[in-house]
Amino acid sequence: MAKGDTFFLRTTIKSDGTNYVSDDIDISAYTDPARGRVLVVDKGFITFNTDAGGPVLAADIDSVIGGRTMGAQACSEKQTALLDTSNNSLFMRSNLYAANTVNDAGGVGTMGLFEETSALNPAEYVGGFIVPTDAIHVGIDATVAWTGEIDVGFMFEVHTEKLSLQRIQELLVSLTAN
């Protein structure tokens, strides 16, 4: 449950073949971690669209037949690759799986599978997820390049909070447990 006034932070990143692509949402204007003022994520959402802004189509997956995957994450620390869910800075994760099949003699692909596994999407936290840094890091990665690049959108409902010294110490202990 959100405390006080909430607001939204958003960003979109575009896939780039099989490269890890990332962005940092600067939250330094809302926080002062040294004095206990932190940003708290109450809810978060990840969306997948074509780079033209519409839904993912068979032509975005492959021109004929083939499968594609994409992982997306949000973290409280800068990353260079997708993380395992055991990493303490990871607070949102989603995977997209899509494949085309051939249903005619001409070899034209049609979407045969479109599955999103979202163990942490949408993310909703009782009491919120505390971001003890000055940025929210978001990143995406594909194992095989998509025929059409994919735009991945991230939206967070957040609020700011002042932590007690005891709560800051507890947080530091939990973040260094990796």
Side-chain angles (χ1 to χ4, degrees):
M1 177 68 62
K3 295 180 179 179
D5 295 329
T6 63
F7 56 98
F8 292 92
L9 300 173
R10 296 174 177 87
T11 193
T12 300
I13 51 181
K14 182 184 300 297
S15 64
D16 180 21
T18 59
N19 297 315
Y20 180 75
V21 182
S22 65
D23 190 20
D24 292 316
I25 301 173
D26 182 7
I27 60 173
S28 61
Y30 310 110
T31 64
D32 186 357
R35 291 184 174 77
R37 169 90 33 216
V38 295
L39 189 82
V40 180
V41 176
D42 298 307
K43 295 179 186 175
F45 305 89
I46 299 173
T47 61
F48 297 93
N49 297 298
T50 67
D51 58 356
V56 176
L57 303 173
D60 298 311
I61 301 168
D62 194 286
S63 58
V64 181
I65 186 168
R68 303 291 183 264
T69 62
M70 179 166 296
Q73 68 184 9
C75 308
S76 61
E77 298 172 348
K78 177 96 172 130
Q79 304 300 328
T80 58
L82 294 177
L83 299 175
D84 184 80
T85 54
S86 64
N87 188 292
N88 286 341
S89 74
L90 179 72
F91 66 91
M92 256 176 55
R93 178 68 192 261
S94 187
N95 291 305
L96 178 64
Y97 304 93
N100 287 345
T101 59
V102 175
N103 69 348
D104 65 18
V108 176
T110 59
M111 193 177 298
L113 167 73
F114 191 85
E115 179 77 25
E116 184 179 348
T117 60
S118 302
L120 296 173
N121 178 38
E124 185 169 4
Y125 302 98
V126 176
F129 181 89
I130 297 168
V131 180
T133 60
D134 61 358
I136 294 175
H137 176 82
V138 295
I140 61 173
D141 202 357
T143 53
V144 176
W146 291 61
T147 301
E149 297 298 350
I150 304 298
D151 283 347
V152 181
F154 295 85
M155 182 175 77
F156 305 97
E157 181 180 358
V158 299
H159 72 274
T160 59
E161 196 170 302
K162 177 101 168 114
L163 301 179
S164 67
L165 179 59
Q166 178 181 348
R167 183 67 180 114
I168 292 170
Q169 291 169 337
E170 291 168 356
L171 180 63
L172 288 172
V173 168
S174 70
L175 288 175
T176 57
N178 264 351

